[in-house]
Amino acid sequence: MLRISLALRFIVFISLLILATSLSLSVFSLYRYAEVEDEQLRQRGISLTRNLAHNAELGVLTRNADLLRELGSGLLNEADVLSIVVVDPDGNPLLESRRPEQSPPHFTVLPGEVTRQVGAGEARITAFAIEAGGRKEAYEVSYPVFTRRGERHNEEIGFLLEEEESAPNRLETIGYVRVMTSLAGLHESMADLKWLFGLLTALVISVAIFLTVMLVRRMVGPLQALAAATRRIAGGNLDEVVRSASNDEIGQLASSFNQMTSELKRSRRELE
């Protein structure tokens, strides 16, 4: 039967405990990071889409494709913006812009559209994946384009910078803006963090195992010496003395053992 020493069992137990703890902390940290970054990307998409909807009021009212294209080209300079679509209330496209240097990927809509009330409008967030059931690759945020209807104090068409300042019954939806942003940056950051956490976990485990081995040797060494001395005493050598420089429980055990040996020697001399 295979016999596993106490030292080896202790080292294996501590190593597995450290490995489980390190992996749990790494997974939790990665999950929290992805969760926070995902929410920030959603907020960024909402902000970009809402700002474009505010600025596109005149272009949608006049159906000015050049003005809308100029607004969209500025937004496409953002590294994570993939496409911009502006439509009228009936869904007819007024602008469709994509990055010219990239071929449009074949995205699949993921279930679970998210709706959030932002200002006077409702932002709709749709997740996309390259394959059905795959990881999220992009978010598309849709936000309405508003204009004011009713009595005006001048002949100019006013831009709607803050919907909250206007009464809801004076707002009219004249179109929608949809902005798609990529999650490639998030995936790259996650890949780098996984590699970094893997390296740190391996380093922590290596250092922990080394310290555990040193600690086990310090703890088990006196016990092994005590076991060897016990076998020699059992063989009749009552002059055996166990030496221990520590004052802990192991040192007290060695001292008690030596005292027991002295008592056995004294009893033997008395019997002789």
Side-chain angles (χ1 to χ4, degrees):
M1 182 177 179
L2 180 63
R3 181 179 178 183
I4 301 177
S5 66
L6 176 63
L8 181 59
R9 282 184 287 178
F10 189 77
I11 292 173
V12 171
F13 173 76
I14 294 298
S15 301
L16 292 177
L17 181 61
I18 294 172
L19 176 61
T21 303
S22 301
L23 289 178
S24 299
L25 290 176
S26 298
V27 170
F28 176 77
S29 300
L30 287 171
Y31 175 79
R32 285 294 301 159
Y33 174 82
E35 191 177 54
V36 171
E37 288 296 313
D38 185 81
E39 178 60 25
Q40 290 181 353
L41 288 173
R42 293 190 186 198
Q43 292 294 340
R44 171 174 166 78
I46 292 174
S47 177
L48 292 174
T49 308
R50 188 184 179 197
N51 289 338
L52 181 58
H54 293 162
N55 296 330
E57 178 189 1
L58 179 58
V60 174
L61 277 173
T62 59
R63 292 180 173 268
N64 189 329
D66 292 333
L67 177 57
L68 293 175
R69 191 176 299 108
E70 181 179 355
L71 293 172
S73 63
L75 191 56
L76 283 174
N77 290 329
E78 298 291 335
D80 57 342
V81 176
L82 296 177
S83 66
I84 300 169
V85 177
V86 181
V87 298
D88 63 16
D90 297 325
N92 301 313
L94 304 177
L95 172 69
E96 290 182 334
S97 295
R98 297 181 183 275
R99 287 187 173 276
E101 69 276 9
Q102 295 179 351
S103 58
H106 299 286
F107 282 134
T108 301
V109 179
L110 294 176
E113 181 182 76
V114 178
T115 302
R116 296 184 183 180
Q117 189 68 30
V118 182
E122 194 174 67
R124 296 181 178 274
I125 307 172
T126 306
F128 288 83
I130 294 180
E131 297 179 356
R135 71 177 186 180
K136 290 182 292 186
E137 297 290 346
Y139 281 131
E140 184 182 74
V141 181
S142 174
Y143 195 81
V145 181
F146 293 110
T147 190
R148 292 189 178 97
R149 295 297 189 187
E151 181 181 355
R152 297 184 184 272
H153 298 289
N154 51 53
E155 298 299 326
E156 297 180 356
I157 297 176
F159 287 93
L160 188 58
L161 297 179
E162 290 294 337
E163 299 94 342
E164 293 85 355
E165 297 177 1
S166 179
N169 58 4
R170 297 185 61 192
L171 296 180
E172 180 180 337
T173 301
I174 58 174
Y176 295 90
V177 171
R178 299 199 300 267
V179 176
M180 180 176 287
T181 54
S182 173
L183 301 181
L186 173 61
H187 296 321
E188 291 176 2
S189 299
M190 288 293 294
D192 292 339
L193 279 177
K194 288 178 181 178
W195 183 87
L196 178 60
F197 275 121
L199 182 63
L200 289 176
T201 300
L203 180 62
V204 168
I205 292 174
S206 300
V207 173
I209 290 177
F210 173 76
L211 294 177
T212 302
V213 170
M214 299 302 294
L215 178 62
V216 167
R217 285 183 177 179
R218 184 176 180 86
M219 293 177 58
V220 177
L223 294 178
Q224 291 175 339
L226 184 61
T230 303
R231 287 193 295 270
R232 287 191 290 270
I233 291 173
N237 184 11
L238 297 180
D239 295 326
E240 188 70 29
V241 177
V242 178
R243 293 178 176 83
S244 177
S246 62
N247 294 322
D248 54 11
E249 287 81 358
I250 295 179
Q252 294 175 5
L253 178 60
S255 178
S256 299
F257 182 84
N258 292 331
Q259 184 178 359
M260 180 191 68
T261 305
S262 299
E263 291 296 328
L264 286 175
K265 288 177 62 177
R266 187 178 61 81
S267 299
R268 173 179 286 186
R269 284 196 301 266
E270 290 178 355
L271 291 175
E272 291 176 352

